[in-house]
Amino acid sequence: MQRVFVFGDKKVTDDSPSFVIAEVGHNHQGNLERCKAIFHAAAEAGADAVKIQKRDNRTLFTREMYDSHYDSENAYGPTYGTHREFLEFDAAQYRELKVYCDKLGIQFFSTAFDDASADFLAELDMPGYKIASGDLTNTPLLKKVAAFGKPIIVSTGGATMDDVQRAYDAIMPINPNLCIMQCTSGYPPPHEELNLRVIETFRRAFPDIIIGFSSHDSGIAMPLIGYMLGARVFEKHFTLNRAWKGTDQAFSLEPAGLKRVVRDLDRARIALGDGNKCPYPSETGPLNKMVKRVVAARELPAGTVLAADDLAFRIPVSAKITAAALRPFEAERLVGHRLNRSVSAEEIVTLADVGIG
């Protein structure tokens, strides 16, 4: 069975190019034009998709939580609710962003944090949905989003294998176009907690779906390792300036970093090859300067019956190397045969010189 995950016009398999998501989150700081600028940079870096987050804050939080005092250097309001509201875009802004991404040629979607947000995104006909780690155990939301019939990407930070299996079992009978992401929900997590081998565990447990990696670390190397372990969908937090205000900014990639992630993932796919060992055209020139050929150890007159000590192994001028030039392991084919011409010292000796072939 081939693993397949289809997101918009992208079909992801084990053999296809990776699907790279620039997770913008709220790095746009509630500013639509800044969000567009981040999206533009993500498209230029080669990302396949950009993602933000949608919350219906009044229904997501208890009244006490919504009204709680929020004293943080990253606050956009005096209470947690006003802070969160500042960062939300409305339907008109989402539509504008959707049109903008269509022009950029990049997919635009969002995380649905609650039922109301899921309905909001469905009305906008988003191409797919992300479910955050915090909702992995929210099976009612999982089933609701699955029923929309669009691709679903689910993160698994803080989860047990039972939690992941439960989510898989809830979604798959409704919508098998699912990608499960290994994720550690630290912001950022220490590297010893990334546990990238879980990607292999997921691939064994869920052999019918594509596995991904949501990387909250601040570097560019971990997605490449994730690829080698079998991940094919990747999410990296993305911004234009890590010094900007916001919790996620400091561990987000800037454009140069995201561009390298995209580049290296594609290089890894191509570089793995088919596993068949063979010579390549790019090797001919360098190897002509490294591989020894069979030459005469001294001047040898015509009629000489060749012995092993009549032959030596040297690197000749590249222009004189033809397909007839023998490599050292072939020298024994000459021994015991008579030269049909005179050969100068260090001149290449071929099978034709002894009447073979």
Side-chain angles (χ1 to χ4, degrees):
M1 177 183 295
Q2 184 187 44
R3 302 169 192 264
V4 179
F5 179 66
V6 179
F7 198 105
D9 62 352
K10 300 289 185 178
K11 182 179 179 181
V12 185
T13 69
D14 281 340
D15 299 321
S16 73
S18 297
F19 187 73
V20 179
I21 304 162
E23 161 63 309
V24 177
H26 284 136
N27 285 346
H28 53 69
Q29 301 174 307
N31 184 302
L32 188 67
E33 294 306 313
R34 180 168 292 166
C35 188
K36 288 181 180 180
I38 298 174
F39 284 4
H40 185 270
E44 285 195 327
D48 297 288
V50 288
K51 187 182 76 65
I52 58 176
Q53 301 172 1
K54 186 59 185 172
R55 294 171 174 85
D56 185 79
N57 295 299
R58 287 290 186 181
T59 60
L60 179 61
F61 302 110
T62 64
R63 179 171 297 184
E64 181 181 17
M65 179 64 178
Y66 187 94
D67 292 335
S68 63
H69 179 65
Y70 191 49
D71 184 14
S72 166
E73 62 181 5
N74 294 314
Y76 288 96
T79 65
Y80 195 69
T82 54
H83 162 73
R84 280 293 178 190
E85 298 291 5
F86 184 90
L87 294 169
E88 291 297 328
F89 291 140
D90 61 23
Q93 291 170 314
Y94 262 79
R95 291 190 186 95
E96 188 172 338
L97 289 172
K98 196 166 183 282
V99 169
Y100 183 69
C101 286
D102 287 343
K103 292 178 180 178
L104 290 176
I106 194 169
Q107 310 244 25
F108 165 52
F109 71 115
S110 183
T111 302
F113 276 83
D114 49 80
D115 283 4
S117 295
D119 289 334
F120 172 94
L121 296 170
E123 290 175 6
L124 294 169
D125 193 29
M126 302 302 275
Y129 297 85
K130 174 72 187 293
I131 300 295
S133 295
D135 280 310
L136 181 69
T137 58
N138 187 352
T139 51
L141 180 62
L142 297 179
K143 291 178 179 180
K144 178 184 181 74
V145 173
F148 293 151
K150 297 293 182 71
I152 309 171
I153 299 171
V154 179
S155 276
T156 59
T160 65
M161 203 56 201
D162 285 344
D163 293 330
V164 181
Q165 184 69 56
R166 186 187 308 109
Y168 172 90
D169 292 341
I171 295 170
M172 286 295 285
I174 304 170
N175 183 355
N177 196 10
L178 168 66
C179 173
I180 290 178
M181 310 278 277
Q182 164 57 357
C183 177
T184 304
S185 290
Y187 294 91
H191 283 90
E192 60 267 25
E193 293 181 0
L194 291 179
N195 204 358
L196 297 180
R197 291 191 187 277
V198 170
I199 293 167
E200 295 178 313
T201 301
F202 284 172
R203 284 179 62 87
R204 290 191 297 269
F206 312 118
D208 51 349
I209 65 170
I210 287 290
I211 302 303
F213 175 41
S214 180
S215 176
H216 288 190
D217 71 290
S218 58
I220 66 171
M222 296 304 106
L224 189 57
I225 298 172
Y227 182 91
M228 296 305 298
L229 294 171
R232 292 298 180 267
V233 175
F234 298 88
E235 181 181 71
K236 287 293 290 185
H237 288 256
F238 183 63
T239 188
L240 294 182
N241 188 337
R242 285 193 295 268
W244 281 350
K245 177 179 174 179
T247 304
D248 295 353
Q249 307 281 10
F251 65 89
S252 296
L253 294 183
E254 292 178 343
L258 183 62
K259 187 173 184 179
R260 287 194 290 270
V261 167
V262 173
R263 177 201 66 190
D264 290 347
L265 286 172
D266 199 49
R267 284 180 176 176
R269 176 183 63 85
I270 296 168
L272 283 173
D274 60 10
N276 296 314
K277 185 61 181 171
C278 62
Y280 290 99
S282 66
E283 299 177 296
T284 301
L287 287 177
N288 279 346
K289 296 181 179 179
M290 293 187 284
V291 176
K292 299 175 181 68
R293 266 53 175 206
V294 179
V295 301
R298 64 190 67 82
E299 185 174 341
L300 300 172
T304 300
V305 176
L306 293 175
D309 63 2
D310 290 324
L311 304 172
F313 311 129
R314 302 282 189 274
I315 299 174
V317 175
S318 295
K320 294 186 177 182
I321 299 173
T322 67
L326 302 177
R327 291 163 291 176
F329 76 90
E330 298 173 290
E332 60 188 31
R333 299 179 65 184
L334 298 169
V335 174
H337 292 278
R338 190 181 303 276
L339 281 174
N340 56 26
R341 69 179 183 91
S342 296
V343 180
S344 302
E346 296 191 336
E347 184 180 352
I348 291 174
V349 182
T350 70
L351 293 174
D353 294 330
V354 295
I356 300 175

